Amino acid sequence: TAARRYLATEIDGDQPARPERRVRAGFAERVKNGPGFGDFVQGTSPPLTPAQALEKATSIPGNSRLPRWLKTDIPVGANVSRIRKTLRELKLHTVCEEARCPNMGECWGGGKHGTATATIMIMGDTCTRGCRFCSVKTSKTPGALDANEPDNVARALAAWGLDYVVLTSVDRDDLADFGAAHFAHTVRSIREQAPQLMIECLTPDFQGQLPLVEQVADSGLDVFAHNVETVEGLQRMVRDYRANYKQSMSVLEHAKRHKPTLLTKSSIMLGVGETDAEVLQTLRDLRAAGVDIVTLGQYMRPTKRHMKVHEYVTPEKFAHWEQVGKDLGFVYAASGPLVRSSYKAGEFFISEILRKRAEAGKAMRNVAAEVAAQERKRTNAESAPTA
C-alpha cells in the first residue's frame, strides 16, 4: 500500500516529474539583442509643429479632436447667468442648452452687435422623433403640454429685455395637431407682453398638414423657419423616417405663399457626407420655394451615440457657400463652421431687415394719413357754404 500523505505538497514517488520549461533559443536571442526603451523614445525625425500635429489628428477618420476654428469659449457673463436662472425658475427649456450649441455665450451675452438673443424650446424637452444628429431626449409618449408655458415664456422674455427671440419646439407627433395651437398661443402671448420683440419661429413640419402651417404663420411672428437639415440624398440617413425633403420644402413654400410678408428661413448642416453638387441643388430648391434666408453650418457630433462627422468643412468652403447664397438671390445668407439655424449674427442682420420694413411701412402709413387729411380738408372746404 502507498504511504499516507500528511502534507498537500508531498507527491507519491510513482507520479511523473514536471516537464522542464522549454525556451526557444532564437526568440530569447532576439529579445536580448533587440531595441531597448531608448530606441522607442528617441527618433531621427524632428518633432511636429502644432499645425502639423493638428492636421495629422484631424485627418484620421473618426478622430474626435476638433480643428482650431471649431473651438469656442465657455459661456459666462451676467446676462448668461440671469437668463439661466430665469429658465430654471419658470421651468423653461432652450435649444441652446439641450442641443449643446457652441454659440450660447455669444447669443445670450449680446455678442459684438449687442443684439441679445435666446432660442426657447417649447412643448417640453422630449421629442417623439429620433434624428441621428440631435441630442434632445426622445420618447414615443412625452409628458402633457404645460398650459402655463405660453404665459411663462412671454413673462420671461419681457423681463430679459432681449431684441430677438427664436421659438422652436420638439416634434410632438403624439398630439392631434402636432402642437400647432400651442405654438401659435405662445407667439400671441409674447406679442401681448413684449410687443417690441422680433419673433422667429423654427417650426416642426406638422407632418406636412398645411392648415397647421397657416395657423402658426398667422400668429404674429416675423420670421417663419423650418430646416431641411441636409441634402435630399442623405435625408433618410440623417433625419427621422417621418421627416423628408419634399415635405419640408412644401412647408416652407406654403408659409411664404400663404403670407408673403413673412421672411422664410431654412438651414443646412455640412460635413455629413454631402457633395458640392448636392448642396448647390438644395440651395436652388430653397430659393425656388421662396425661402429668403439660409444658414449653413458644420455638423458636430453631440455624443458617441450619434452619427459620426464625415468631414470638417474648412472656413474657406463655408465662405464659398455664403457667396453662392448671395448670388442665388437670398436676402441673407450666413455660412460658417459655427453658424447654426438661429445664429446670433444672422439675427442681427435679420432684425435690421425687419426694422427697415417696419420703418418703410410706418412711412407709407404716415404718407397715407397725410393724403387722407388733405383730402378731408379739401372736401370740407368744397362743401362749406359760400358767404
Side-chain angles (χ1 to χ4, degrees), residues 39-155:
D39 296 298
F40 288 100
V41 298
Q42 293 178 2
T44 56
S45 302
L48 297 175
T49 65
Q52 290 171 329
L54 177 63
E55 182 180 359
K56 181 178 284 292
T58 55
S59 65
I60 302 172
N63 199 309
S64 61
R65 291 193 59 181
L66 296 178
R68 61 187 179 280
W69 59 79
L70 287 174
K71 296 184 179 180
T72 59
D73 297 328
I74 296 173
V76 293
N79 212 37
V80 173
S81 301
R82 181 166 58 90
I83 291 175
R84 188 172 274 144
K85 182 174 182 290
T86 309
L87 289 169
R88 300 297 171 267
E89 289 173 351
L90 296 177
K91 298 180 181 179
L92 301 177
H93 308 281
T94 66
V95 75
C96 316
E97 293 179 299
E98 298 293 335
R100 308 181 185 186
C101 180
N103 301 311
M104 187 167 67
E106 184 184 358
C107 291
W108 289 12
K112 62 182 179 181
H113 296 298
T115 310
T117 309
T119 301
I120 303 294
M121 189 168 72
I122 60 175
M123 298 197 282
D125 63 350
T126 305
C127 186
T128 53
R129 298 189 184 181
C131 298
R132 295 186 63 209
F133 64 89
C134 184
S135 63
V136 175
K137 293 183 292 187
T138 63
S139 172
K140 291 182 179 180
T141 55
L145 295 180
D146 180 2
N148 297 319
E149 185 176 54
D151 186 61
N152 285 342
V153 169
R155 285 195 293 116

Side-chain angles (χ1 to χ4, degrees), residues 249-261:
M249 287 291 178
S250 173
V251 167
L252 289 163
E253 186 174 15
H254 188 76
K256 188 69 172 179
R257 188 189 305 117
H258 176 71
K259 195 161 187 178
T261 56

Side-chain angles (χ1 to χ4, degrees), residues 181-224:
H182 190 88
F183 220 122
H185 183 193
T186 305
V187 175
R188 288 192 294 269
S189 296
I190 296 171
R191 273 282 169 256
E192 291 172 3
Q193 300 192 40
Q196 81 291 346
L197 198 60
M198 284 166 283
I199 304 173
E200 174 183 327
C201 289
L202 177 57
T203 73
D205 56 25
F206 304 115
Q207 292 196 10
Q209 296 193 22
L210 301 183
L212 301 179
V213 174
E214 295 174 6
Q215 187 174 350
V216 176
D218 290 334
S219 61
L221 69 165
D222 298 294
V223 180
F224 183 98

Side-chain angles (χ1 to χ4, degrees), residues 374-387:
Q374 290 174 355
E375 183 64 19
R376 284 194 299 271
K377 185 176 181 181
R378 185 184 63 80
T379 305
N380 292 336
E382 290 177 351
S383 60
T386 57

